[in-house]
Amino acid sequence: MAQDNFSRVTEFILLGLSDTQELQLLFFTFFLLAYAMVLLGNILIIVTVRTDPKLASPMYFLLCNLSFIDICYTSVTTPRVLVALLSGHKAIAFEGCMAQLFFLHFVGSSEMFLLTVMAFDRYTAICRPLHYTAIMARRVCRALVAACWLGGFIHSIVQTVLMLQLPFCGPNTIHSYFCDVPPVVRLACADTTLTEWLMASNSGLISLGCFLVLVASYALILAKLRAHLSQGHWKALSTCASHVMAVTLLFMPCIFTYLRPAGTAPTSKYVCVIYTILSPMMNPLIYTLRSSEIKESMWRLRKR
């Protein structure tokens, strides 16, 4: 049947996490507190790094950018979830759904690339300390951050264009609390096998590739530190451990979600909570509690 004979879907219905009133109140409280922690924690990190000249190293420059990305990433989905839970209005326009999908992948993939750059920064600082200043100069850091945003934009454009090529004419109920590739592509009125494999190759391989690069970099760091366990190296090892914790929270659920065609098996919407809410919420705690410099700078900022 020709696509022109279909009536195009103009809006989707986001079912959310639960229909139970008590659970909706619980989820609203959780999302509100988590979003507040993301905003306050990451804004505090940005203000601290920007106002303290002692935090002018590349590591803190990248951390500042990570905090900004986390704010943007969570803001793509959480405010709408809060409004839906409070008002009961679960409909989202087709254009709004595509926009949410675009910005989710734009900011999310940029964060993955940035975490990979941060791992390279730690590898350079620990394994090549004499060349660190030259390799991670400020202009290089800015270029790497710009490349992360550009890579995220290209990835997201590809995802969105693939989605816009699909006809949506029948079911419009999304079994999730936000628009994402796996739940939306199942609603298409066409054979989506090729599209699903292309999307899995795009999102899934990016997630897996960045994660493998991160694992390899930290493995090299551990190999370097094994023979030199001085106090300074213990500090570096502690920093790397916190980074591993942060990237695991983000990458493992993403690999589970995207490294397979959307039609093979439904993705648990509760797994999505890990990389859309928990990971951005934990990043400020992980990076600040493991950094004495950040804590001391925050204490000086509080005194001022």
Side-chain angles (χ1 to χ4, degrees):
M1 186 179 292
Q3 180 177 338
D4 296 337
N5 295 333
F6 289 123
S7 58
R8 188 171 181 83
V9 168
T10 58
E11 68 176 18
F12 294 103
I13 305 299
L14 298 169
L15 294 183
L17 292 170
S18 174
D19 293 328
T20 307
Q21 187 68 30
E22 292 78 8
L23 286 179
Q24 286 185 354
L25 179 60
L26 179 63
F27 286 132
F28 176 81
T29 305
F30 168 73
F31 275 86
L32 181 62
L33 292 176
Y35 189 49
M37 288 182 63
V38 170
L39 292 181
L40 293 176
N42 286 293
I43 289 174
L44 181 59
I45 290 176
I46 293 173
V47 172
T48 302
V49 173
R50 298 285 293 180
T51 57
D52 193 341
K54 295 182 178 180
L55 300 179
S57 67
M59 181 177 72
Y60 295 114
F61 172 76
L62 297 174
L63 178 59
C64 186
N65 282 274
L66 177 65
S67 295
F68 176 72
I69 286 181
D70 276 336
I71 292 173
C72 297
Y73 184 54
T74 312
S75 298
V76 173
T77 58
T78 307
R80 186 171 189 88
V81 174
L82 292 173
V83 171
L85 289 171
L86 195 62
S87 65
H89 183 68
K90 299 182 178 181
I92 181 172
F94 177 85
E95 294 79 8
C97 184
M98 293 297 107
Q100 188 179 63
L101 187 148
F102 169 79
F103 285 108
L104 180 75
H105 282 266
F106 175 32
V107 183
S109 56
S110 298
E111 178 168 359
M112 290 184 179
F113 295 137
L114 183 61
L115 287 169
T116 308
V117 171
M118 292 177 71
F120 173 73
D121 171 72
R122 289 300 84 208
Y123 166 80
T124 307
I126 295 171
C127 299
R128 302 189 64 184
L130 298 179
H131 302 88
Y132 178 71
T133 304
I135 295 176
M136 297 301 295
R138 180 54 67 101
R139 59 180 179 79
V140 175
C141 291
R142 289 174 178 167
L144 289 173
V145 170
C148 292
W149 283 104
L150 178 61
F153 179 77
I154 295 173
H155 157 74
S156 189
I157 280 289
V158 172
Q159 292 285 86
T160 307
V161 168
L162 288 173
M163 291 295 297
L164 291 174
Q165 300 303 312
L166 298 175
F168 295 93
C169 55
N172 67 336
T173 302
I174 298 176
H175 294 271
S176 184
Y177 57 92
F178 64 98
C179 289
D180 197 8
V181 170
V184 174
V185 75
R186 296 190 190 99
L187 304 180
C189 305
D191 182 9
T192 59
T193 303
L194 178 60
T195 304
E196 290 177 23
W197 278 106
L198 290 174
M199 290 180 171
S201 300
N202 190 7
S203 295
L205 290 182
I206 285 178
S207 303
L208 181 61
C210 289
F211 183 69
L212 292 178
V213 171
L214 285 163
V215 170
S217 65
Y218 288 124
L220 291 173
I221 291 173
L222 289 175
K224 176 73 174 181
L225 295 179
R226 186 174 59 179
H228 307 281
L229 294 180
S230 63
Q231 184 176 358
H233 285 94
W234 275 116
K235 180 182 177 181
L237 184 61
S238 176
T239 301
C240 291
S242 65
H243 290 192
V244 170
M245 186 185 305
V247 301
T248 302
L249 275 176
L250 175 64
F251 280 92
M252 293 309 293
C254 289
I255 292 172
F256 173 78
T257 300
Y258 297 114
L259 195 62
R260 57 180 179 173
T264 56
T267 301
S268 172
K269 50 192 173 184
Y270 299 104
V271 172
C272 301
V273 175
I274 299 176
Y275 61 86
T276 58
I277 297 295
L278 289 181
S279 177
M281 182 180 68
M282 294 301 295
N283 278 350
L285 298 176
I286 290 173
Y287 286 103
T288 55
L289 293 179
R290 305 298 295 182
S291 173
S292 59
E293 291 87 353
I294 285 282
K295 289 186 288 186
E296 291 171 2
S297 182
M298 286 182 176
W299 180 253
R300 289 193 296 268
L301 181 65
R302 180 178 176 273
K303 287 183 177 181
R304 292 199 298 268

